[in-house]
Amino acid sequence: MAKVIVKDLHKSYGDNEVLKGLNLEVQDNEVVCMIGPSGSGKSTFLRCLNDLEIPTQGQVVISGYDLSDKGTNINLVRENIGMVFQHFNLFPHLSVLQNITLAPVQLNKESKVEAEKTARDLLATVGLSDKADAMPKSLSGGQKQRVAIARALAMHPSIMLFDEPTSALDPEMVGDVLDVMKKLAAKGMTMIVVTHEMGFAKEVADRVVFMADGLIQESGKPDDLFDHPKSPRLQDFLEKVINV
Amino acid sequence: MKKWQVAIVMLLAALGSWFTVGTQAQAKTYTIATDTTFAPFEFQAKGGKYKGIDIDILNAISKKENINYKLKAISFGAAVQQLSANQVDGVIAGMNITPERKKTFDFSNAYYTSGVVMAVAKDSKIKQFSQLKGKTVALKTGTAGATYAKSIQNKYGFKIKYFNDSNNMYNDVKVGNSAACFEDYPVMSYGIKNGIALKIVSKQYEAGDYGFAVKKGKNAKLLKKFNAGLKAIKADGQYKKIVDKYLHSSESSLTGETASSRTFIGLFTQNLGTIGSGLWMTLELTVISIILATVMGLALGVLGVMPGKVGPAISSTIIYIFRGMPLMVLAFFIYIGFPDLIGHGFKIPAFIAGMITLMLNEGAYTGAFVKGGFQAVDDGQMEAARSLGLPYWTAMRKVIMPQGIRIMIPSFINQFIITLKDTSILSVIGIVELTQTGTLIIARNFEGFKIWLMIAIIYLVIITLLTWLSNWVQRRIN
Ligand SMILES: Nc1ncnc2c1ncn2[C@@H]1O[C@H](COP(=O)(O)OP(=O)(O)OP(=O)(O)O)[C@@H](O)[C@H]1O
Ligand SMILES: [Mg+2]
């Protein structure tokens, strides 16, 4: 069974229907990149996958757990889905190490000692071994985002969601963060990445999904999609992005 | 159980025991209320004991008739209200017997007959009522003087300003804010003899009788005993002795103060004990109220940011009610109104009532800024915490609250200082805290300026210490 199954997903804020019936399946180890114009509902879609937004209609099934089912323990499902935000959302009152160990320790996944060991290993993978005891406000944007990725990984999730992880970063920081994500993809992590980094999508994605007006307009292998866009909307979008 | 849980349980138990003590009818011991500042009928002598014609008469009568009683000195207004609310058994406070009051109270036979006089500043040219036109007249609420002045107000065209306290009224006339005041003759003449810079310029009007009052239809036995005792002490000469003692002597022989004790330092050392106990009461009230208000405020704040509609609605309503109500109204409501509502002789000790009042009022203010502080934490923080799988309450406790509380620290310090100052309002329900201590000392020695200066300095010192402490805590946290 697919790892993520989305069926006929609708989401409205009052009269404003943001998602208008999305269908998507993501397989184990697959990396899916989502692209699309601003306001098309990409973030909303991603947030529906871990119940930060509650869909108005439709079904989301993660690793076999139906989120709309009352019997599903959402906290357990969330442990299995790491999420990385555009603005990092590190906990400013906690050190880097504490940011990473908070959830595993609070949820009794690991003892404090184990959690700290895991955290240091993760910091090494994201290239920030020397920052364990730093406070978030002393870090650069790129460092913050790498800590945020380490924090999400500390719960040993099997799916990672990224919502424009590099768009709040200075250009010279983007590479470090993308490198971490590439390593993750190479290790076989199932990933859904909302991004404007077409280069990353081309290189890493197994599949690219183009969203506009609350619907998936087109999807396919990156080479097909970027080189032979079918819909005028996508042609238009790619032209704008590339010209920027 | 954790330490704080034990503490809460103990606090609740303590509150509970206080209430039950409060509700137990004390067999045959009557509670008799009196005014705090109505020399020579009642005033606090050096060392905090009450003295005066009323007090001595009550004492003499009780000895004759074997009455057990506990004296409760509160403001005149509060005494009358508590009598009608059944919170006390009787009132003796230079209270005029009027047809109006007879509707709610039963009075003893008159134990003193007094008239109302007009007094003005020593250097004032006013001699007649007609000279009051367009000027302001100072009155003390609920007194015969007030009733009389009101009855001639239209005829002479003056404005009226009310005070709760004789000394503030005298002072207003002395400094020239008001042109005159109306006061019972013995009270005024006693005051002048003891240094108030006013003079009496009218004859006595509207002679009125003072009586001891009980609630209508209640305590008939007590009233009967009072009348019998009054007759007896009049017969054996005790009564005359008491009245003469107060009306024909100067204050110093009664309060035990000497002229040398009228310097600032002298007054301070003389009254150290009284001021100290007032200060202690203020601190006690402040500390307990701050703790309770903080707990309540945190609860209201957490409720206010809970998902769903019910929690926030409850929180906003409670904040709306208790923040909108003046502290004094709330104090009266809890101390006098609430027991009246429950009935069955239910009583709340003034200290408990004061504490609850402060908790509700300061707690509502605290709740408002706690809620604001939690809301000021970026939404992304909660989302990040929840996306890691943390349950709502864990996310609240570990992520939102530590950040929110940091934002709130300056507001907390501010609120602590306000709480400290607000304790002074509780003097209206008879709690003898620092401010009330000042009122009481001045009632017997009329040294308004020096005593208020002393009290003001003490408040400033505590507030300074409190601010230092808070800043230290703040530095520790950041
Ligand atoms: N909490 C909310 N309440 C009301 N409207 C919302 C809310 N969140 C999002 N929207 C609306 O939903 C629409 C889609 O927003 P969303 O953030 O999903 O777009 P996006 O594709 O992620 O855009 P961007 O590329 O700018 O991040 C927008 O019109 C937005 O105004
Ligand atoms: Mg977005």
Side-chain angles (χ1 to χ4, degrees), chain B residues 43-61:
Chain B
F43 58 95
Q44 209 186 35
K46 205 178 111 190
K49 242 180 105 58
Y50 278 89
K51 272 189 149 181
I53 297 176
D54 283 348
I55 314 292
D56 287 8
I57 285 180
L58 179 64
N59 191 26
I61 289 176

Side-chain angles (χ1 to χ4, degrees), chain A residues 212-224:
Chain A
D213 301 328
L215 283 171
I216 293 176
Q217 307 282 349
E218 210 172 320
S219 77
K221 292 213 173 307
D223 294 340
D224 295 346

